[in-house]
């Protein structure tokens, strides 16, 4: 497949026809309870990296603020993302407390949090609705353009979002329509051929409607040889309000993405050879192409001042295509690289679903009480094509400097391997009861019913399986003062042993894993708007992970156990005029308590793959009315590429900088430098002896327009 540059004329034309002038720096739509005020460049910037007073739909569906929620939840607003120069959601989220980016060619966007990794344990959603995970892969949303904020919940989120969320969840909240005419634009260019164009705006439609459209395109040559990438997307949202109590949102999104086809470099004697930093050993006709379409219809009806009904019907489709040679081994004797894993995969995933939510606020025994109850159903039809069903894999050898990468080759044709149909029903309930005005007890329950029908097209190994997991959360919050809360919670969640949609018959005999978490913490807003602080301590134990039978290590059984204990701290401070500091750190002890691998080797006490036990972020900003500057650092501790902990990825610290000039009230010019010291580091492993190298130093200049 040839990678074409984006044709974006139609998107931009449609946007200009529906938007004109007069805007504030952030979207002015959304319900009052969901608004986050924009960061204005003035003499004293406000703290905005945590947002304890913001109501969150990710930590709870009860309309509670982060200060009132008995869980670790923080809100990253779009203005802070802009100040830091982050383009992708994974870049932005990896600066929140305890999250690290472990994305690679096969997983799309993926994170590590609280000792658990990947899309089978750390979930992702948009406006509270999830696309179920297939083959550990999630590809949308990926670009920060068009989003108002990103809410991050750490720890089990199964009560709210179901399976595959024991480590936490990232919920991307889109900008909402407004009847005020608004317009935002962005144009940027940088080294490595990087470019980005974004345009968004709102406008009234008739007497009762408002329309928002956000469109963007980006691309570049990449930081490795043949590392080209490009993507385009359009997001549309038509809001109709026939009355003060009724709103209907009709949403259509389309994304087309060609990420860089890169799976890292082979190690030399277990270490990164910096001379290979720019090398890409993939074939010249490699493919990585994701097309995502989303339709949603959301109805919000205020039945009364104390009762609200919300219904969201949706249809998602994701088509994915990979064609690459993925694995490389260094041949030092011949100064060459041996390649294997000539892999072609196609996904066609369709999800149809509906979420009904009823929420209210009614006194109970003369005490304030907030509650929500709902029902959710989703059906996923999935098709999976590949070329490795017979285990035949060609190999090739290329020069260490890879001057002639060659073409893709295969022994077996790519054919339909299997189809699956997954149906998931869920009932959920949440309640927060105020024992006193300062002391609140909360509880959440969720019962799922999941049925998976797997139809193999190459063998007779068909199978249908049912699961019925139950999740719960109990919590308490006590307000020591109006600005200080202490909380505790116990929660129970569940993860599949592999992606629920693509659960193979060999894994369908296993039950879902279960995890329990105990957490206590404190949240505090400093007086005089000087900042916000949070501190949390947690312990998570995940049971029934796949291990080997101690009596017969050739057999896979359940009974393994994984745990994580940690401490997390975050702060957003404005102690001095013109200055703001955002910082966070997480330290943890993640380990396998019980795990036996093939051959009978015990991994008890070892750290799971791609889990850093130290993560920290810091940003310092200096702001004047007409200009601003910031310096940031991201620290990720050492990680392992295998359960034996013999292949180690060194820890690293990367520095970034940003400076902006507000030319007038509508236009800001901003410059960014990424990886200031040009650090060579590995953010994630692709194999035990193959690491993906992180982005090299990159500069960018962009113009931001707000009307």
């Amino acid at each position: 497949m040839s990678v074409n540059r984006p044709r974006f004329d139609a998107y931009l034309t449609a946007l200009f026809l529906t938007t004109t002038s007069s805007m504030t720096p952030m979207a002015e739509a959304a319900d009052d309870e969901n608004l986050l005020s924009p960061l204005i460049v003035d003499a004293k910037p406000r703290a905005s990296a945590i947002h304890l007073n913001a109501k969150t739909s990710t930590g709870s569906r009860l309309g509670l603020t982060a200060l009132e929620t008995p869980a670790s939840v923080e809100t990253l607003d779009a203005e802070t993302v802009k100040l830091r120069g982050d383009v992708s959601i994974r870049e932005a989220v990896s600066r929140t407390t305890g999250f690290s980016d472990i994305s690679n060619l096969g997983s799309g966007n993926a994170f590590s949090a609280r000792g658990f990794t990947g899309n089978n344990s750390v979930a992702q959603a948009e406006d509270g609705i999830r696309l179920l995970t297939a083959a550990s892969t999630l590809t949308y949303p990926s670009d920060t353009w068009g989003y108002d904020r990103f809410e991050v919940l750490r720890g089990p989120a199964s009560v709210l979002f179901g399976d595959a969320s024991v480590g936490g969840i990232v919920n991307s909240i889109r900008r909402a329509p407004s009847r005020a005419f608004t317009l935002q634009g962005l144009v940027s260019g940088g080294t490595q051929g990087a470019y980005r164009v974004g345009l968004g705006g709102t406008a009234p439609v008739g007497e009762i409607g408002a329309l928002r459209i956000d469109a963007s395109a980006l691309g570049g040559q990449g930081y490795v040889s043949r590392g080209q990438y490009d993507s385009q997307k359009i997001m549309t949202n038509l809001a109709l309000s026939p009355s003060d109590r009724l709103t209907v949102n009709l949403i259509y999104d389309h994304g087309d993405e060609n990420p860089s086809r890169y799976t890292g470099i082979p190690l030399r004697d277990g270490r990164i050879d910096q001379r290979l930093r720019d090398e890409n050993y993939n074939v010249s006709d490699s493919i990585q192409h994701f097309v995502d379409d989303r339709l949603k219809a959301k109805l919000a009806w205020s039945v009364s001042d104390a009762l609200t009904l919300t219904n969201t019907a949706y249809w998602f489709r994701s088509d994915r295509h990979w064609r690459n040679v993925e694995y490389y081994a260094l041949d030092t004797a011949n100064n060459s690289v041996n390649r294997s894993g000539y892999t072609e995969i196609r996904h066609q995933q369709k999800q149809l679903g509906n979420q009904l939510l009823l929420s209210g606020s009614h006194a109970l025994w003369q005490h304030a009480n907030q509650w929500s109850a709902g029902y959710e159903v989703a059906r996923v039809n999935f098709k999976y094509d590949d070329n490795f069903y017979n285990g035949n894999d060609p190999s090739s050898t290329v020069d260490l400097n890879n001057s002639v990468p060659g073409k893709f080759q295969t022994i077996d044709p790519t054919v339909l391997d299997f189809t699956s149909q997954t149906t998931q029903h869920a009932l959920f309930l949440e309640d927060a009861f105020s024992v006193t005005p300062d002391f609140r007890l909360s509880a959440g329950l969720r019962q799922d019913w999941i049925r998976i029908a797997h139809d193999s097209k190459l063998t007779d190994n068909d199978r249908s399986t049912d699961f019925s997991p139950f999740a719960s959360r109990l919590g308490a919050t006590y307000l020591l003062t109006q600005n200080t809360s202490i909380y505790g919670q116990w929660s129970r969640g569940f993860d599949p042993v592999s992606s629920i949609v693509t659960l193979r018959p060999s894994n369908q005999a296993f039950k879902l894993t279960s995890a329990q978490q105990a957490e206590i913490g404190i949240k505090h807003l400093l007086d005089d708007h000087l900042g916000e602080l949070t501190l949390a301590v947690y312990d998570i134990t995940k049971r029934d992970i796949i291990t080997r039978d101690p009596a017969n290590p050739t057999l896979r059984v359940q009974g393994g156990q994984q745990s994580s204990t940690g401490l997390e701290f975050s702060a957003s401070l404005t102690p001095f005029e013109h200055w703001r500091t955002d910082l966070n750190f997480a330290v943890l002890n993640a380990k396998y308590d019980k795990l036996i691998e093939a051959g009978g080797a015990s991994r008890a006490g070892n750290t799971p793959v791609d889990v850093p036990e130290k993560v920290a972020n810091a940003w310092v900003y200096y702001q004047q009315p007409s200009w601003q500057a910031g310096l940031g650092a991201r620290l990720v501790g050492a990680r392992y590429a295998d359960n034996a902990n013999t292949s180690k990825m060194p820890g690293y610290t990367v520095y970034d900088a940003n400076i902006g000039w507000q030319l007038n009230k509508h236009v800001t010019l901003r410059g960014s430098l990424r990886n200031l010291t040009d650090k060579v580091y590995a953010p994630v492993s692709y194999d035990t002896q193959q690491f993906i190298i992180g982005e090299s130093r990159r500069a960018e200049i962009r113009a931001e327009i707000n009307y």
Side-chain angles (χ1 to χ4, degrees), residues 110-111 116-123 130 133-138 163-167 494-502 513 542:
F111 301 97
F116 301 91
T117 59
N119 292 313
N120 295 322
S121 290
V122 184
R130 293 179 56 196
T133 303
S136 304
T137 304
L138 288 174
D163 67 278
S165 56
V166 161
F494 50 91
D495 283 348
V497 295
S498 64
S499 299
I500 199 77
V501 171
T502 48
T513 66
K542 184 175 181 178

Side-chain angles (χ1 to χ4, degrees), residues 118-145:
N119 292 313
N120 295 322
S121 290
V122 184
Q124 299 174 58
E126 187 194 65
D127 285 340
I129 302 294
R130 293 179 56 196
L131 176 66
L132 295 183
T133 303
S136 304
T137 304
L138 288 174
T139 55
Y140 190 90
S142 61
D143 179 8
T144 58
W145 185 258

